[in-house]
mmCIF file of all heavy atoms in Angstrom:
data_model
loop_
_atom_site.group_PDB
_atom_site.id
_atom_site.type_symbol
_atom_site.label_atom_id
_atom_site.label_comp_id
_atom_site.label_asym_id
_atom_site.label_seq_id
_atom_site.Cartn_x
_atom_site.Cartn_y
_atom_site.Cartn_z
ATOM 1 N N PHE A 4 2.521 1.763 -3.268
ATOM 2 C CA PHE A 4 1.562 2.252 -4.253
ATOM 3 C C PHE A 4 1.345 3.758 -4.092
ATOM 4 O O PHE A 4 1.345 4.512 -5.080
ATOM 5 C CB PHE A 4 0.236 1.507 -4.083
ATOM 6 C CG PHE A 4 -0.876 2.067 -4.916
ATOM 7 C CD1 PHE A 4 -0.937 1.815 -6.289
ATOM 8 C CD2 PHE A 4 -1.859 2.869 -4.342
ATOM 9 C CE1 PHE A 4 -1.961 2.347 -7.056
ATOM 10 C CE2 PHE A 4 -2.881 3.399 -5.114
ATOM 11 C CZ PHE A 4 -2.933 3.131 -6.463
ATOM 12 N N ALA A 62 12.004 31.456 -21.327
ATOM 13 C CA ALA A 62 12.750 30.432 -20.578
ATOM 14 C C ALA A 62 13.187 30.957 -19.214
ATOM 15 O O ALA A 62 13.078 30.257 -18.197
ATOM 16 C CB ALA A 62 13.959 29.971 -21.392
ATOM 17 N N ILE A 67 12.540 31.119 -13.339
ATOM 18 C CA ILE A 67 12.379 31.850 -12.068
ATOM 19 C C ILE A 67 11.102 31.416 -11.358
ATOM 20 O O ILE A 67 11.087 31.178 -10.143
ATOM 21 C CB ILE A 67 12.360 33.372 -12.343
ATOM 22 C CG1 ILE A 67 13.729 33.828 -12.852
ATOM 23 C CG2 ILE A 67 11.963 34.143 -11.089
ATOM 24 C CD1 ILE A 67 13.761 35.271 -13.314
ATOM 25 N N ILE A 69 9.245 28.541 -11.767
ATOM 26 C CA ILE A 69 9.176 27.155 -11.311
ATOM 27 C C ILE A 69 10.115 26.927 -10.119
ATOM 28 O O ILE A 69 9.819 26.135 -9.219
ATOM 29 C CB ILE A 69 9.494 26.173 -12.472
ATOM 30 C CG1 ILE A 69 8.888 24.792 -12.184
ATOM 31 C CG2 ILE A 69 10.992 26.046 -12.706
ATOM 32 C CD1 ILE A 69 7.407 24.730 -12.210
ATOM 33 N N ALA A 70 11.250 27.665 -10.083
ATOM 34 C CA ALA A 70 12.153 27.548 -8.928
ATOM 35 C C ALA A 70 11.460 28.060 -7.663
ATOM 36 O O ALA A 70 11.601 27.474 -6.577
ATOM 37 C CB ALA A 70 13.430 28.334 -9.205
ATOM 38 N N VAL A 110 -24.975 13.433 -2.979
ATOM 39 C CA VAL A 110 -24.917 12.014 -2.595
ATOM 40 C C VAL A 110 -26.173 11.612 -1.819
ATOM 41 O O VAL A 110 -26.759 10.552 -2.074
ATOM 42 C CB VAL A 110 -23.650 11.743 -1.751
ATOM 43 C CG1 VAL A 110 -23.685 10.333 -1.161
ATOM 44 C CG2 VAL A 110 -22.410 11.912 -2.618
ATOM 45 N N VAL A 114 -28.038 8.905 -4.503
ATOM 46 C CA VAL A 114 -27.872 7.463 -4.261
ATOM 47 C C VAL A 114 -29.219 6.788 -3.952
ATOM 48 O O VAL A 114 -29.551 5.762 -4.577
ATOM 49 C CB VAL A 114 -26.835 7.214 -3.141
ATOM 50 C CG1 VAL A 114 -26.807 5.735 -2.763
ATOM 51 C CG2 VAL A 114 -25.445 7.654 -3.611
ATOM 52 N N PRO A 115 -30.040 7.338 -3.028
ATOM 53 C CA PRO A 115 -31.369 6.702 -2.827
ATOM 54 C C PRO A 115 -32.217 6.721 -4.094
ATOM 55 O O PRO A 115 -32.915 5.734 -4.372
ATOM 56 C CB PRO A 115 -31.996 7.577 -1.727
ATOM 57 C CG PRO A 115 -30.854 8.174 -1.011
ATOM 58 C CD PRO A 115 -29.802 8.408 -2.049
ATOM 59 N N ARG A 179 -27.120 29.311 5.451
ATOM 60 C CA ARG A 179 -28.151 30.074 4.729
ATOM 61 C C ARG A 179 -27.616 30.635 3.415
ATOM 62 O O ARG A 179 -28.330 30.716 2.417
ATOM 63 C CB ARG A 179 -28.666 31.215 5.627
ATOM 64 C CG ARG A 179 -29.704 30.785 6.639
ATOM 65 C CD ARG A 179 -30.090 31.944 7.552
ATOM 66 N NE ARG A 179 -30.482 33.146 6.825
ATOM 67 C CZ ARG A 179 -31.668 33.350 6.278
ATOM 68 N NH1 ARG A 179 -32.590 32.414 6.397
ATOM 69 N NH2 ARG A 179 -31.936 34.467 5.657
ATOM 70 N N VAL A 228 -29.602 -2.554 0.193
ATOM 71 C CA VAL A 228 -28.494 -1.764 0.742
ATOM 72 C C VAL A 228 -27.270 -2.630 1.013
ATOM 73 O O VAL A 228 -26.160 -2.327 0.560
ATOM 74 C CB VAL A 228 -28.946 -1.034 2.038
ATOM 75 C CG1 VAL A 228 -27.757 -0.314 2.673
ATOM 76 C CG2 VAL A 228 -30.060 -0.053 1.732
ATOM 77 N N LEU A 275 -9.500 38.253 -16.158
ATOM 78 C CA LEU A 275 -9.850 39.568 -16.711
ATOM 79 C C LEU A 275 -8.702 40.560 -16.550
ATOM 80 O O LEU A 275 -8.504 41.427 -17.407
ATOM 81 C CB LEU A 275 -11.114 40.104 -16.021
ATOM 82 C CG LEU A 275 -12.400 39.320 -16.295
ATOM 83 C CD1 LEU A 275 -13.555 39.892 -15.486
ATOM 84 C CD2 LEU A 275 -12.735 39.355 -17.782
ATOM 85 N N ASP A 278 -3.740 38.498 -14.693
ATOM 86 C CA ASP A 278 -2.883 38.333 -13.513
ATOM 87 C C ASP A 278 -2.218 36.952 -13.583
ATOM 88 O O ASP A 278 -2.702 35.976 -13.013
ATOM 89 C CB ASP A 278 -3.752 38.474 -12.257
ATOM 90 C CG ASP A 278 -2.916 38.555 -10.994
ATOM 91 O OD1 ASP A 278 -1.696 38.327 -11.072
ATOM 92 O OD2 ASP A 278 -3.492 38.839 -9.943
ATOM 93 N N VAL A 285 -3.619 29.170 -9.080
ATOM 94 C CA VAL A 285 -4.926 28.527 -8.889
ATOM 95 C C VAL A 285 -5.024 27.250 -9.725
ATOM 96 O O VAL A 285 -5.513 26.207 -9.244
ATOM 97 C CB VAL A 285 -6.057 29.503 -9.254
ATOM 98 C CG1 VAL A 285 -7.403 28.779 -9.273
ATOM 99 C CG2 VAL A 285 -6.103 30.656 -8.273
#
Side-chain angles (χ1 to χ4, degrees):
F4 172 76
I67 293 173
I69 203 68
V110 171
V114 172
R179 279 176 52 80
V228 175
L275 293 176
D278 190 351
V285 171

